[in-house]
Amino acid sequence: MKDLKAYSEQELWQLVQQRHQPAFDELYYRFVESLLQTAFQKTNDRHLADDLVQDLFIWIWEHAPAVPTHTHCNVAAYLHTALRHKIYNYYHRRLKAQAILADIHQHTGEATPHLQQQLEYREVIAAVHHEIEALPTAMKKIFQLSRNEDKSIPEIAGTLALSKQTVKNQLGIAVKRLRSSVDRLQSWLF
């Protein structure tokens, strides 16, 4: 096998799809700086940019085998587009969490100082993450596909080889558990 540095982006991608760790490492080192620069330009936060790029490469390692090879004539463009989706999804989830906190404050009818809001926000987010981690494995996977990857019920059903009704039921149960957790926290905070 020739030196991986001599491989084209497409050749590296094909090897990554076959779970070839050295090819993945080479792809990472080839693109990490430009991806970090793009993430920083979009977020203006070095730590967040690092986290988003790392999340992207974790996602690539986990999902590359399922991605059709012919769709990636330009691997650099694919990676940058995927990063933009990660950034969008991060801000989308953040806005959802802020909406939950705003809803909680609206129901209590109280105006709280900014620092108190931040602390409550962190408590709510921590409780939600804890509850998500406590979900049964299959339910957690369904919930994460729905909320983190914005997949529809039919897409999730197809990915996991489940019926649409099963996916819908599992999502409903997961959301009820999360709401219950937030309600318990709300009664404790207020």
Side-chain angles (χ1 to χ4, degrees), residues 97-112:
Q98 288 173 343
I100 291 170
L101 187 59
D103 189 43
I104 289 170
H105 288 297
Q106 182 181 17
H107 284 33
T108 62
E110 298 175 9
T112 58

Side-chain angles (χ1 to χ4, degrees), residues 15-30:
L15 288 171
V16 168
Q17 288 186 303
Q18 299 166 17
R19 300 277 190 201
H20 189 266
Q21 182 68 46
F24 177 80
D25 294 343
E26 177 62 28
L27 194 71
Y28 175 87
Y29 290 117
R30 226 179 254 194

Side-chain angles (χ1 to χ4, degrees), residues 123-143:
E123 289 291 325
V124 169
I125 296 304
V128 169
H129 284 297
H130 177 73
E131 194 66 34
I132 290 170
E133 290 304 314
L135 293 173
T137 306
M139 185 183 294
K140 179 175 150 183
K141 180 69 175 172
I142 290 169
F143 183 82

Side-chain angles (χ1 to χ4, degrees), residues 11-161:
E11 291 171 320
L12 287 174
W13 181 263
Q14 290 173 347
L15 288 171
V16 168
Q17 288 186 303
Q18 299 166 17
R19 300 277 190 201
H20 189 266
Q21 182 68 46
F24 177 80
D25 294 343
E26 177 62 28
L27 194 71
Y28 175 87
Y29 290 117
R30 226 179 254 194
F31 292 104
V32 70
E33 287 305 318
S34 66
L35 291 168
L36 283 170
Q37 184 177 17
T38 298
F40 180 70
Q41 287 172 345
K42 301 288 184 194
T43 64
N44 203 28
D45 181 328
R46 290 260 180 239
H47 295 293
L48 178 57
D50 286 340
D51 288 346
L52 289 167
V53 171
Q54 293 307 315
D55 286 348
L56 171 66
F57 277 101
I58 290 168
W59 186 92
I60 293 296
W61 182 251
E62 292 173 349
H63 295 90
V67 178
T69 304
H70 69 277
T71 62
H72 303 296
C73 297
N74 186 339
V75 176
Y78 176 77
L79 291 173
H80 279 83
T81 300
L83 177 62
R84 281 194 299 277
H85 286 287
K86 286 277 179 205
I87 293 167
Y88 169 80
N89 288 338
Y90 167 79
Y91 284 114
H92 183 69
R93 284 191 307 274
R94 190 169 159 194
L95 286 173
K96 281 183 181 178
Q98 288 173 343
I100 291 170
L101 187 59
D103 189 43
I104 289 170
H105 288 297
Q106 182 181 17
H107 284 33
T108 62
E110 298 175 9
T112 58
H114 182 66
L115 180 59
Q116 184 66 27
Q117 285 179 335
Q118 287 180 346
L119 292 173
E120 291 167 3
Y121 170 78
R122 288 186 183 132
E123 289 291 325
V124 169
I125 296 304
V128 169
H129 284 297
H130 177 73
E131 194 66 34
I132 290 170
E133 290 304 314
L135 293 173
T137 306
M139 185 183 294
K140 179 175 150 183
K141 180 69 175 172
I142 290 169
F143 183 82
Q144 289 173 330
L145 287 170
S146 170
R147 297 309 193 262
N148 296 349
E149 297 182 28
D150 290 326
K151 294 207 180 256
S152 67
I153 289 174
E155 289 173 323
I156 297 169
T159 300
L160 300 178

